[in-house]
């Protein structure tokens, strides 16, 4: 496989950007995404980062530092607000500002999808800086997923959870269907699925709630609940947001009240959303329209 394109001086990536066991992923269009190759592209910026006092950490820590490096200075990674529209300022918007705008409670789903369509298109050019840009914009969600999984897992799995989470997220930048809505939420679902590889098959099935998908008709006892939820999203039985809510509160033991507080909505509303989504899942399983097939 050919190496990644040489970065321009404005977008060189600081070291270290290396994930233990990182894998190379690409699709037929030639999108190449390799954490270790990105590290090999740093050149003289590696020494600069070391002199700046960059400290080692897990893969998300390294990604966060790399993202900060890429959004500072005279030529930060930026998107054109005029092109994206949806109420964005009609000027160049660096990815740090874009992240803040997307996290704002007034940000619409349409704005979020438009931003991710643009970010993924840039990443698919093969420029590692934009791959890291995507990781940086997704960082709040990735950190939340990692924190929940690490909190409920043996300490020895922590670094592997983060590495697999990030590896799967980057792999999906080449694969995710950007013509469908809720791009960010679907990326998060896949990232979590990747993180579970670090825990092994048994860890995916630890019961955390009496509601057991695997006891329903048409579902094999070895069915992975996350795969089932991904399939339900693909079939538009439930939304990615509903799947994320079920995963967080049913599988990761997160509090509905805490999530409601973070999102600035009532916990009653989230409980209702979860209950309705679970009812749709059960109905789909019982009538045979939902199986644990491989979602896209």
């Amino acid at each position: 496989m050919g190496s990644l394109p040489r970065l321009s001086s404005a977008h060189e990536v600081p070291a270290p950007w290396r994930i233990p066991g990182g894998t190379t992923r690409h699709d037929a269009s030639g999108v190449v995404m390799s954490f270790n190759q990105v590290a090999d592209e740093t050149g003289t910026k590696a020494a600069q980062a070391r002199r700046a006092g960059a400290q080692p950490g897990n893969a998300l820590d390294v990604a966060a530092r790399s993202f900060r490096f890429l959004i500072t200075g005279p030529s930060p990674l930026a998107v054109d607000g005029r092109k994206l529209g949806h109420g964005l300022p009609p000027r160049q918007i660096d990815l740090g500002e874009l992240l803040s705008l997307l996290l704002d409670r007034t940000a619409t789903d349409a704005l979020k999808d438009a931003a991710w369509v643009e970010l993924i298109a840039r990443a698919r050019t093969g420029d590692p800086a934009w791959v890291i840009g995507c990781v940086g914009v997704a960082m709040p969600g990735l950190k939340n997923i990692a924190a929940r999984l690490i909190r409920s897992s043996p300490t020895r799995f922590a670094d592997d959870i983060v590495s697999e989470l990030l590896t799967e997220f980057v792999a999906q930048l080449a694969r995710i269907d950007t013509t469908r809505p809720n791009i960010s939420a679907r990326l998060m679902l896949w990232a979590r699925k990747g993180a579970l590889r670090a825990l092994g098959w048994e860890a995916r099935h630890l019961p955390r709630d009496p509601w057991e998908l695997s006891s329903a008709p048409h579902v094999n006892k070895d069915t992975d609940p996350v795969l089932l939820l991904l399939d339900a999203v693909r079939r538009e039985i439930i939304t990615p947001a509903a799947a994320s809510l079920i995963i967080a509160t049913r599988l990761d033991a997160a509090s509905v009240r805490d999530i409601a507080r973070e999102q600035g909505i009532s916990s009653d509303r989230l409980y209702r959303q979860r209950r309705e989504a679970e009812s749709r899942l059960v109905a789909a399983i019982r009538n045979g329209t939902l199986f644990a097939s491989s979602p896209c």
Side-chain angles (χ1 to χ4, degrees), residues 207-223:
R208 297 187 184 275
D209 192 270
W211 182 72
E212 292 282 355
L213 286 175
S214 58
S215 65
H218 306 291
V219 180
N220 185 282
K221 64 182 180 65
D222 291 326
T223 291

Side-chain angles (χ1 to χ4, degrees), residues 254-268:
S255 163
V256 171
R257 288 183 175 84
D258 287 345
I259 294 174
R261 191 179 306 112
E262 291 172 3
Q263 296 182 2
I265 60 179
S266 71
S267 57
D268 287 344

Side-chain angles (χ1 to χ4, degrees), residues 6 9 24 41 66 76 83 85 88 107 155 159 183 205 216 221 238 249 287-288 290-291:
R6 179 70 51 186
S9 58
T24 299
E41 288 290 330
S66 300
K83 176 181 176 182
L88 289 178
T155 304
D159 286 343
I183 298 168
H205 303 283
K221 64 182 180 65
I238 61 174
T249 59
N287 66 29
L290 179 62
F291 297 85

Side-chain angles (χ1 to χ4, degrees), residues 7-293:
L7 296 174
S8 68
S9 58
H11 291 159
E12 290 189 61
V13 183
W17 177 241
R18 184 176 295 276
I19 293 180
T23 55
T24 299
R25 309 292 182 97
H26 64 96
D27 67 3
S29 67
V31 179
V32 180
M33 297 174 182
S34 165
F35 292 115
N36 291 345
Q37 282 181 309
V38 170
D40 293 337
E41 288 290 330
T42 59
T44 58
K45 289 296 180 179
Q48 294 177 8
R50 285 193 294 272
R51 286 195 296 271
Q55 298 299 315
N58 67 31
L60 283 176
D61 295 331
V62 174
R65 289 198 299 271
S66 300
F67 180 65
R68 286 195 297 271
F69 186 94
L70 290 168
I71 62 173
T72 56
S75 301
L77 287 182
V79 295
D80 188 345
R82 289 165 295 192
K83 176 181 176 182
L84 292 181
H86 298 283
L88 289 178
R91 55 174 170 77
Q92 290 293 305
I93 303 170
D94 73 65
L95 296 197
E97 182 183 1
L98 179 66
L99 170 57
S100 297
L101 292 169
L102 295 180
L103 290 176
D104 192 278
R105 292 177 184 175
T106 63
T108 64
D109 290 340
L111 167 59
K112 294 174 184 177
D113 279 338
W116 275 102
V117 167
E118 178 67 12
L119 291 170
I120 290 172
R122 299 288 188 96
R124 287 177 178 177
T125 66
D127 185 341
W130 281 97
V131 176
I132 297 173
C134 288
V135 172
V137 174
M139 188 63 67
L142 293 172
K143 283 188 172 181
N144 283 340
I145 294 170
R148 287 197 296 264
L149 289 177
I150 290 171
R151 187 165 54 241
S152 60
S153 305
T155 304
R156 68 181 184 276
F157 288 118
D159 286 343
D160 289 340
I161 286 170
V162 172
S163 295
E164 291 293 344
L165 172 86
L166 207 41
T167 298
E168 185 61 31
F169 175 84
V170 170
Q172 289 302 324
L173 293 177
R175 302 171 181 163
I176 201 81
D177 182 356
T178 57
T179 66
R180 293 173 53 209
N182 301 299
I183 298 168
S184 178
R186 287 187 285 123
L187 284 170
M188 293 301 106
L189 288 174
W190 278 111
R192 185 189 185 279
K193 176 65 180 172
L196 290 176
R197 285 195 297 264
L199 299 175
W201 182 258
E202 292 80 4
R204 306 179 199 186
H205 303 283
L206 293 176
R208 297 187 184 275
D209 192 270
W211 182 72
E212 292 282 355
L213 286 175
S214 58
S215 65
H218 306 291
V219 180
N220 185 282
K221 64 182 180 65
D222 291 326
T223 291
D224 184 339
V226 178
L227 268 183
L228 197 68
L229 289 167
L230 282 167
D231 201 11
V233 170
R234 181 179 67 88
R235 296 172 186 272
E236 299 184 347
I237 295 169
I238 61 174
T239 66
S244 296
L245 177 63
I246 291 170
I247 288 171
T249 59
R250 296 301 198 188
L251 301 180
D252 294 342
S255 163
V256 171
R257 288 183 175 84
D258 287 345
I259 294 174
R261 191 179 306 112
E262 291 172 3
Q263 296 182 2
I265 60 179
S266 71
S267 57
D268 287 344
R269 177 179 171 184
L270 280 189
Y271 276 118
R272 184 172 61 254
Q273 289 175 359
R274 186 179 68 178
R275 185 167 56 250
E276 292 172 353
E278 290 175 351
S279 295
R280 289 193 292 272
L281 283 171
V282 171
I285 292 169
R286 286 176 173 168
N287 66 29
T289 59
L290 179 62
F291 297 85
S293 58

